[in-house]
Amino acid sequence: METLGKTLKSTRENVSLTLRDVEIATGISNAYLSQLENDKIKKPSASILYKLANVYKIDLNVLLYASGIIDKNENSEVIKQQSLLEREIAFYKDKLSEDEEREIVDFIKFLRYKKSNDATF
């Protein structure tokens, strides 16, 4: 599992936000965000993580787990780390038109078709 800092930094970079962008969107200071990303602050409050999860379009449970606020145990659902691709898709999904969503699905189908045909030659 990635540390909270690595998770936050990779997610922020993947959705093309600067620390200043996040500061403006959340009201969390640039300095505090930097300390989070560099793992100098390991257990921020759940409210901080909630704000970041909303801006980054990432499941809050991923951040709560990475920070150690919640644990996985036999009785809890296993929290899976979202891949960078899943986070980026989630970030852009709200900004896509229906036509763009269809084009993306068609492109994925094309890539899979091309891959299966490349393997036969």
Side-chain angles (χ1 to χ4, degrees):
M1 177 183 89
E2 284 185 340
T3 66
L4 175 63
K6 286 181 183 178
T7 300
L8 290 171
K9 185 173 184 173
S10 65
T11 303
R12 178 182 58 78
E13 289 174 343
N14 196 46
V15 295
S16 301
L17 294 173
T18 65
L19 288 174
R20 290 274 182 229
D21 295 332
V22 178
E23 178 181 35
I24 291 166
T26 63
I28 302 167
S29 78
N30 183 30
Y32 189 84
L33 292 167
S34 179
Q35 289 178 336
L36 282 173
E37 287 188 2
N38 290 302
D39 287 317
K40 292 185 177 163
I41 298 171
K42 297 186 187 277
K43 285 195 177 186
S45 71
S47 65
I48 294 283
L49 296 177
Y50 176 79
K51 289 177 183 180
L52 294 172
N54 283 331
V55 170
Y56 295 164
K57 304 287 190 215
I58 187 173
D59 185 337
L60 174 60
N61 286 330
V62 171
L63 298 181
L64 291 170
Y65 176 67
S67 68
I69 292 174
I70 60 174
D71 296 323
K72 50 179 196 180
N73 61 39
E74 327 170 335
N75 299 326
S76 68
E77 181 179 325
V78 176
I79 299 166
K80 294 183 180 177
Q81 186 86 19
Q82 290 178 316
S83 71
L84 289 176
L85 177 61
E86 289 171 321
R87 290 183 234 163
E88 189 165 3
I89 289 170
F91 181 79
Y92 288 108
K93 184 183 182 323
D94 295 338
K95 299 173 182 171
L96 297 174
S97 68
E98 287 183 31
D99 288 339
E100 289 171 326
E101 286 179 7
R102 273 189 239 107
E103 286 179 33
I104 290 170
V105 170
D106 288 344
F107 184 68
I108 292 169
K109 288 177 183 177
F110 166 75
L111 290 175
R112 289 191 176 259
Y113 172 79
K114 183 179 174 216
K115 183 178 178 182
S116 67
N117 284 336
D118 286 348
T120 60
F121 290 108

